[in-house]
Amino acid sequence: MTDTPSSPADLRRIVESRLKARHASEVRFRLYGRLAIIIALTFLAVLVGRVVLQGYTTFIDYQMTLPVYVDPNRVDKTDISGANFDLMIADQTLARLGVVDDDLGSKSSKVMDLISTDMGFQLLKQVQANPGLIGKTITLKAPVRADGALYYKGEIGRAIPETERKLDDEQLGWLDRLRAKGFVSSGFNTGFLTRSDSTEPEQAGVLGAVVGSAMMLLITAVLAVPIGVLAATYLEEFAPRNRWTDIIEVNINNLAAVPSIVYGLLGLAVFINWLQVPRSSPLVGGLVMALMALPTVIIATRSALKAVPPSIREAALGVGASQTQTVFHHVLPLAMPGVLTGAILSLAHALGETAPLLMIGMVSFVPGVPSGFTGASTVLPVQVFIWENASERAFHERTAAAIMVLLVFMILMNMAAILLRRRFERRW
């Protein structure tokens, strides 16, 4: 038996103590909630800050501009491609620095470590296109070699022992003199956004990966969204409630929780090995991502349809509309904010997936922009994976920069989902 208060004062004291305990628990709960938010924001700030700090230097570009004399003694008009244009540029750069090469050509080799091979390719192409340039001076502009750019950015310095860096003190001195003479300039690295992957870090960009991601997402959206919306509409509005539909609903919910790499294995077995879809193409990537996004689209669409008040259906049926007219003319349009939100978020999830794409061969090196939906391609998450595993130090900052580009895509897609929801939202 519970003790009964002996007087009104005792009752008041009991009530006040219970109210005090209740208020204290509410204060603790609010404190725990704010603490959880602070911890989450702290982790987010550390993650984004680490990525930005490591990757922002990628967008600082150091370009080397050199006048190059196309020496007729070193270029054969009958075999222009046989000339070593990189060595020609290196020798003339040594002369401008006032350095005399030795008999083994070691100085020229060291200068070539500072000048991007893109400059030699530019010279070759121009002379091939116009042999009349032989005997003339051409001004060429190309990025500084990756390690030289790291030196200009302060990530490589003389304080580091020579045995632990690729450039020795003499090469660092040459870089300082080239910059002092006005041959090196800095600016925004637009090439990172307009070039595709390359074996040379200073020439590598994300254009091919961005185009590949866009093509893959287009196929994913064309397949997953219509099929997912129609399947969800049938299950929610037309399908009879029996054991079979219950089994289908359970399996759809389970498929949404299947690890993504399983979809990669399924795509490898079905689309590549059986249907012979080209490996490492936006088509096979879009098919695999569509399978992965389909359960999410169905679940989101069903939730949006359930949120439409039953009175809408009753009113439409009451004025003589058929069930099909009720669903497609009234219910589905009103559920469209939730449908679009679920579809965009599922596509954003597909954009960030890597594991299933590795299983279907999209980890291969692709130096150009995809030629079509069946051509070889890569995507941003896989590009990040490739660069992070590269041995060149300069690729690591490009890894962080590619993550920044990927995050921008994800933010834009989430913003689109929010704007569409607010644009079509109805309050009941």
Side-chain angles (χ1 to χ4, degrees), residues 112-126:
M112 291 171 66
D113 291 337
L114 309 179
I115 303 173
S116 175
T117 56
D118 183 49
M119 190 170 290
F121 281 118
Q122 290 183 37
L123 184 57
L124 170 62
K125 291 179 180 178
Q126 291 190 36

Side-chain angles (χ1 to χ4, degrees), residues 15-346:
V15 172
E16 289 176 353
S17 64
R18 291 180 177 177
L19 286 175
K20 185 177 180 180
R22 183 187 303 173
H23 292 159
S25 65
E26 291 179 357
V27 170
R28 287 195 301 271
F29 178 77
R30 293 175 182 175
L31 179 62
Y32 296 153
R34 292 170 183 170
L35 183 62
I37 293 175
I38 292 173
I39 293 174
L41 291 177
T42 301
F43 278 108
L44 179 61
V46 170
L47 173 63
V48 175
R50 183 69 182 88
V51 171
V52 172
L53 287 176
Q54 183 178 347
Y56 83 95
T57 54
T58 301
F59 298 98
I60 303 174
D61 189 27
Y62 288 90
Q63 294 280 330
M64 187 176 294
T65 305
L66 295 174
V68 179
Y69 173 67
V70 186
D71 191 349
N73 297 324
R74 304 179 68 170
V75 180
D76 184 0
K77 288 186 178 182
T78 61
D79 184 20
I80 293 175
S81 60
N84 191 334
F85 290 99
D86 290 327
L87 183 58
M88 183 188 303
I89 296 171
D91 290 341
Q92 295 183 28
T93 304
L94 273 180
R96 291 189 180 90
L97 292 172
V99 179
V100 179
D101 201 359
D102 53 24
D103 295 335
L104 298 177
S106 60
K107 301 291 185 181
S108 298
S109 178
K110 291 171 66 174
V111 170
M112 291 171 66
D113 291 337
L114 309 179
I115 303 173
S116 175
T117 56
D118 183 49
M119 190 170 290
F121 281 118
Q122 290 183 37
L123 184 57
L124 170 62
K125 291 179 180 178
Q126 291 190 36
V127 175
Q128 283 180 331
N130 183 12
L133 294 175
I134 298 175
K136 297 181 180 180
T137 299
I138 304 174
T139 300
L140 300 173
K141 187 175 183 179
V144 177
R145 202 69 179 263
D147 292 297
L150 290 176
Y151 169 67
Y152 287 136
K153 296 172 184 178
E155 298 183 29
I156 294 178
R158 289 182 171 83
I160 302 175
E162 284 188 335
T163 56
E164 298 180 10
R165 48 183 163 91
K166 290 187 175 182
L167 303 181
D168 58 25
D169 290 338
E170 185 179 31
Q171 290 172 306
L172 298 184
W174 292 345
L175 287 171
D176 291 334
R177 292 166 63 183
L178 287 171
R179 192 173 187 183
K181 289 176 178 291
F183 293 118
V184 177
S185 61
S186 61
F188 183 77
N189 188 6
T190 56
F192 181 73
L193 303 175
T194 58
R195 292 192 296 261
S196 297
D197 196 12
S198 172
T199 55
E200 301 294 336
E202 70 276 3
Q203 301 177 37
V206 295
L207 178 61
V210 170
V211 174
S213 296
M215 295 172 69
M216 185 193 71
L217 282 182
L218 178 61
I219 295 175
T220 302
V222 168
L223 293 176
V225 176
I227 295 175
V229 171
L230 290 175
T233 303
Y234 175 77
L235 289 174
E236 188 63 30
E237 301 292 339
F238 297 99
R241 297 294 182 264
N242 54 36
R243 182 177 61 183
W244 295 111
T245 55
D246 291 340
I247 293 175
I248 293 173
E249 291 176 5
V250 170
N251 280 278
I252 290 174
N253 293 329
N254 290 335
L255 286 174
V258 169
S260 59
I261 196 170
V262 175
Y263 289 100
L265 291 171
L266 178 63
L268 178 63
V270 176
F271 299 129
I272 295 179
N273 294 338
W274 183 38
L275 297 179
Q276 301 297 312
V277 178
R279 182 186 293 268
S280 186
S281 64
L283 177 59
V284 69
L287 290 171
V288 173
M289 290 297 103
L291 289 178
M292 193 184 71
L294 196 57
T296 305
V297 175
I298 294 175
I299 293 172
T301 302
R302 293 194 66 185
S303 299
L305 292 172
K306 290 178 181 178
V308 177
S311 58
I312 300 296
R313 298 175 177 83
E314 296 169 359
L317 294 172
V319 296
S322 65
Q323 187 177 6
T324 302
Q325 291 174 325
T326 299
V327 172
F328 287 98
H329 293 178
H330 301 281
V331 178
L332 190 57
L334 293 175
M336 195 54 64
V339 173
L340 293 176
T341 301
I344 293 176
L345 293 180
S346 65

